[in-house]
Amino acid sequence: MTRPGEDEFVSVVRSNPAVAEILGRAPQLGLPGWYLTAGGLFQTVWNHLAGRDLRTGIRDYDFFYFDDSDLSYDAENEVIERAATVFDDLGVDVEVRNEARVHLWYEQHFGTPIAPYRSTEDAIDHFVSTTCCFGITTDQGGADVVYAPHGFDDLFGGIVRPNPRLPMRHVYEAKAARWTTEWPDLTVLPWPTEPTTR
């Protein structure tokens, strides 16, 4: 049983040719716990709401998987190279990352240590905005499976909400500033002054 908004979400994001092609080709890679996630999804919906070409302003398409059997750079890089071949002719940047090893480089890149993620869904839960927390994959029969822990109301309402699970206010505010330049009709909620749960 789908939740309110899920069917519309799938319909909209699959109308972006890049999303449809990535989802169609991804099973070739045989990766555990894979999802297409983040900007390629929620920004497609923002473009839909704004009546623009669905690909406008999307810098890349985040493709996550989770393989904790080998946390080496070389193993991840081999997957990145295979994915580059699979997605080569799409004309978009598909950013492939093994979420099982993010904690190994996150502090050097962002200045804050994080605990190891337990799954791809756990990684999606830790985006700086709850409005980013979407993933779509396919099951063995090819049916779409959506991960949307915060539902769809904010997304289709054009609301950007901070996610206190990742306490990086400066990253949230920097991303929100870019997003509102590209999608000026968004409503950006301020970072909370007190810890909140939602």
Side-chain angles (χ1 to χ4, degrees), residues 22-76:
I22 293 167
L23 292 176
R25 300 179 189 192
Q28 299 175 36
L29 296 168
L31 296 172
W34 71 266
Y35 280 91
L36 181 61
T37 185
L41 302 181
F42 66 83
Q43 291 168 11
T44 293
V45 174
W46 289 348
N47 284 329
H48 166 75
L49 295 173
R52 306 198 308 175
D53 184 296
L54 296 181
R55 296 164 289 188
T56 303
I58 300 176
R59 290 181 172 177
D60 53 40
Y61 292 79
D62 291 291
F63 187 91
F64 290 179
Y65 68 101
F66 191 89
D67 184 357
D68 57 3
S69 67
D70 187 343
L71 298 183
S72 70
Y73 169 83
D74 289 342
E76 182 182 45

Side-chain angles (χ1 to χ4, degrees), residues 6-171:
E6 184 171 319
D7 288 342
E8 183 180 6
F9 171 79
V10 171
S11 176
V12 170
V13 298
R14 275 195 166 275
S15 295
N16 179 335
V19 170
E21 284 293 332
I22 293 167
L23 292 176
R25 300 179 189 192
Q28 299 175 36
L29 296 168
L31 296 172
W34 71 266
Y35 280 91
L36 181 61
T37 185
L41 302 181
F42 66 83
Q43 291 168 11
T44 293
V45 174
W46 289 348
N47 284 329
H48 166 75
L49 295 173
R52 306 198 308 175
D53 184 296
L54 296 181
R55 296 164 289 188
T56 303
I58 300 176
R59 290 181 172 177
D60 53 40
Y61 292 79
D62 291 291
F63 187 91
F64 290 179
Y65 68 101
F66 191 89
D67 184 357
D68 57 3
S69 67
D70 187 343
L71 298 183
S72 70
Y73 169 83
D74 289 342
E76 182 182 45
N77 194 57
E78 188 271 331
V79 172
I80 290 170
E81 290 179 354
R82 283 198 293 123
T85 300
V86 170
F87 302 128
D88 180 59
D89 63 329
L90 296 184
V92 298
D93 185 11
V94 182
E95 287 282 338
V96 178
R97 291 292 177 267
N98 181 5
E99 295 303 301
R101 66 181 307 274
V102 169
H103 65 284
L104 299 177
W105 54 260
Y106 194 94
E107 182 175 8
Q108 182 177 3
H109 193 74
F110 290 107
T112 302
I114 60 168
Y117 294 138
R118 301 181 304 275
S119 64
T120 311
E121 292 88 350
D122 187 28
I124 293 171
D125 286 342
H126 285 82
F127 287 131
V128 293
S129 170
T130 57
T131 317
C132 305
C133 298
F134 293 94
I136 185 169
T137 185
T138 58
D139 64 19
Q140 290 185 337
D144 293 316
V145 178
V146 174
Y147 184 67
H150 304 283
F152 303 91
D153 290 350
D154 280 355
L155 178 62
F156 284 100
I159 296 169
V160 177
R161 188 181 302 273
N163 184 5
R165 288 191 68 174
L166 187 67
M168 296 180 67
R169 177 176 181 170
H170 65 290
V171 176

